[in-house]
């Protein structure tokens, strides 16, 4: 064999090796799971928190997707981050999604996380036990703390006031993050506060409080409370990753429903929840649908109620806001 032949062979081998490296690198790149940036809140989202606290519940995590969670104490900041593209998915008030859609801010509801229902705990509005406020009628001129404007809490308050012939202008509404609500009520910064779980159980344990009304007083039908949302373009582009996440969320929900005390203790141990374990582990909780199916009929009732109450001026196509195709079959 001539030297030139050896050179050709060597160059061919080098090219083959380089091609192999390129193909291998491409395969590694393709195998990297999609990072899903999820914004979550501070109440009624335990199954979602479990995916962060107990990754072994999530068999698709690290394969179909990687989870990057960001905690928001206020729903307004979370909504702003979602709209700005700083997070890809978010837990959200279902009422907030409907209201946003009516104003042109679109998001798809892809899973139900919790509901306001007579089958479980209902978000409660407390005063201090020694407060002169004995009923909703006594709220005129008082300060009411809710977690944000145009949220479910805002609607429940507005609806409860209207049942007693009052309007929201008869009270002063101030946004207070749920983790700070007990302190605000105790210090007299608000006269009435909105308390979801686990903050309601904690307030009952640590303070002397009295219930004035709950969410089901103002709206006497079952509501979607917290849903998981994403933007349609992102969901379609990352469909496999989103399906993997929802499969894991369904597993986490099953674990939570079957082992509530163990699941809650785990969330405390992993510092996802900073609440007295004696209060949190045994608390009465919200109803959660094991299938994660969003109740579209309930959403339509919710929108009709919002419009009737004057909370929402425009109507949105509610059914177009729900996409259940990413849920496990």
């Amino acid at each position: 064999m001539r030297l030139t032949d050896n050179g050709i062979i060597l160059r061919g081998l080098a090219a083959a090796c380089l091609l192999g490296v390129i193909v291998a690198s491409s395969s590694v790149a393709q195998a990297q799971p999609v990072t899903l940036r999820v914004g979550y809140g501070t109440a009624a989202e335990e199954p979602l928190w479990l995916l962060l606290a107990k990754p072994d519940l999530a068999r698709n995590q690290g394969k179909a997707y990687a989870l990057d969670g960001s905690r928001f104490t206020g729903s307004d900041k979370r909504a702003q981050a979602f709209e700005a593209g700083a997070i890809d998915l978010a837990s959200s008030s279902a009422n907030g999604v409907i209201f946003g859609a009516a104003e042109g801010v679109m998001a798809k509801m892809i899973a139900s996380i919790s509901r306001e229902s007579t089958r479980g705990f209902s978000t409660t509005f407390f005063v201090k036990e020694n407060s002169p406020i004995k009923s909703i009628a006594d709220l005129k001129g008082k300060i009411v703390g809710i977690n944000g404007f145009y949220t479910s809490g805002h609607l429940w308050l507005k609806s409860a006031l209207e049942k007693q012939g009052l309007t929201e202008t008869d009270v002063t509404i101030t946004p207070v993050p749920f983790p700070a609500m007990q302190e605000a009520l105790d210090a007299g910064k608000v006269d009435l506060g909105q308390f979801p779980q686990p903050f309601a159980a904690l307030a009952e344990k640590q303070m002397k409080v009295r219930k004035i009304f709950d969410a089901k007083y103002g709206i006497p039908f079952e509501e979607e409370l917290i849903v998981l949302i994403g933007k349609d373009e992102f969901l379609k582009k990352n469909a496999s990753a989103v399906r993997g996440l929802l499969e894991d969320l369904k597993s986490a929900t099953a674990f939570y429903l079957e082992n509530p005390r163990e699941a809650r203790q785990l969330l405390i141990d992993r510092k996802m929840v900073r609440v007295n374990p004696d209060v949190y582990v045994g608390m009465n909780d919200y109803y959660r649908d094991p299938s994660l199916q969003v109740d579209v009929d309930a959403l339509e009732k919710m929108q009709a109620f919002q419009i009737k109450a004057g909370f929402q001026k425009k109507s949105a196509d509610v059914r177009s806001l729900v996409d259940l195709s990413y849920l496990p079959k």
Side-chain angles (χ1 to χ4, degrees):
M1 182 180 293
R2 293 174 299 176
L3 182 59
T4 53
D5 293 333
N6 286 334
I8 292 171
I9 292 170
L10 289 173
R11 285 196 297 273
L13 288 171
C17 289
L18 179 59
L19 179 61
V21 169
I22 292 171
V23 171
S25 298
S26 176
S27 299
V28 169
Q30 290 176 0
Q32 292 299 313
V34 174
T35 297
L36 300 177
R37 301 171 299 167
V38 180
Y40 62 94
T42 59
E45 302 175 15
E46 278 82 355
L48 182 59
W49 301 340
L50 278 172
L51 294 182
L52 295 163
K54 189 175 173 61
D56 58 339
L57 279 175
R59 68 185 187 91
N60 295 309
Q61 196 169 164
K63 299 173 184 175
Y65 69 93
L67 200 57
D68 179 11
S70 297
R71 183 176 182 266
F72 293 83
T73 58
S75 58
D76 54 343
K77 299 296 184 185
R78 191 175 2 163
Q80 289 167 13
F82 177 76
E83 187 59 23
I87 52 178
D88 307 311
L89 306 171
S91 57
S92 174
S93 153
N95 273 325
V97 178
I98 296 172
F99 179 83
E103 297 299 315
V105 180
M106 305 302 292
K108 292 284 188 181
M109 298 183 237
I110 58 174
S112 171
I113 297 177
S114 56
R115 290 183 189 164
E116 284 282 352
S117 169
T118 56
R119 291 182 281 179
F121 172 82
S122 184
T123 298
T124 302
F125 289 75
F126 286 135
V127 296
K128 289 196 286 189
E129 189 177 63
N130 62 358
S131 169
I133 299 170
K134 305 298 182 184
S135 68
I136 294 170
D138 297 329
L139 289 174
K140 190 169 183 177
K142 303 301 183 183
I143 302 172
V144 180
I146 60 173
N147 67 314
F149 291 104
Y150 305 110
T151 60
S152 295
H154 189 181
L155 181 61
W156 297 325
L157 172 64
K158 180 178 175 66
S159 302
L161 289 170
E162 289 179 350
K163 286 186 75 170
Q164 294 298 318
L166 300 175
T167 70
E168 58 185 320
T169 60
D170 288 315
V171 299
T172 299
I173 300 175
T174 182
V176 180
F178 289 137
M181 192 70 74
Q182 181 178 325
E183 181 182 351
L185 182 62
D186 194 34
K189 294 178 181 178
V190 299
D191 300 302
L192 176 81
Q194 175 192 352
F195 288 84
Q197 292 292 39
F199 303 105
L202 192 63
E204 289 181 295
K205 177 74 173 179
Q206 296 181 339
M207 290 180 63
K208 292 183 178 180
V209 294
R210 183 161 31 85
K211 176 181 174 179
I212 298 299
F213 66 94
D214 63 27
K216 292 301 96 196
Y217 172 80
I219 301 180
F221 55 81
E222 190 159 296
E223 302 170 79
E224 287 290 352
L225 177 59
I226 302 296
V227 292
L228 189 64
I229 64 172
K231 294 178 181 176
D232 195 40
E233 182 180 358
F234 178 85
L235 295 171
K236 288 177 177 176
K237 183 178 178 180
N238 301 281
S240 295
V242 173
R243 288 193 179 95
L245 171 67
L246 294 190
E247 183 179 328
D248 290 344
L249 182 59
K250 184 176 180 180
S251 297
T253 301
F255 176 81
Y256 180 78
L257 294 175
E258 293 166 8
N259 310 280
R261 299 181 72 88
E262 179 185 348
R264 292 175 195 164
Q265 185 61 55
L266 176 66
L267 291 172
I268 289 173
D269 293 343
R270 301 295 169 84
K271 302 190 184 321
M272 296 295 294
V273 176
R274 299 177 184 272
V275 178
N276 184 322
D278 293 337
V279 173
Y280 183 60
V281 169
M283 74 178 185
N284 183 26
D285 199 13
Y286 293 96
Y287 174 74
R288 303 172 194 275
D289 188 318
S291 72
L292 310 186
Q293 294 281 324
V294 177
D295 188 337
V296 181
D297 292 337
L299 294 178
E300 290 190 325
K301 286 183 182 179
M302 289 161 64
Q303 172 168 254
F305 197 91
Q306 291 187 161
I307 292 173
K308 182 180 178 181
F311 187 81
Q312 182 179 324
K313 303 300 182 184
K314 302 174 184 177
S315 180
D317 180 359
V318 170
R319 292 186 178 272
S320 72
L321 302 178
V322 179
D323 189 343
L324 303 181
S325 67
Y326 300 97
L327 288 175
K329 303 301 182 185

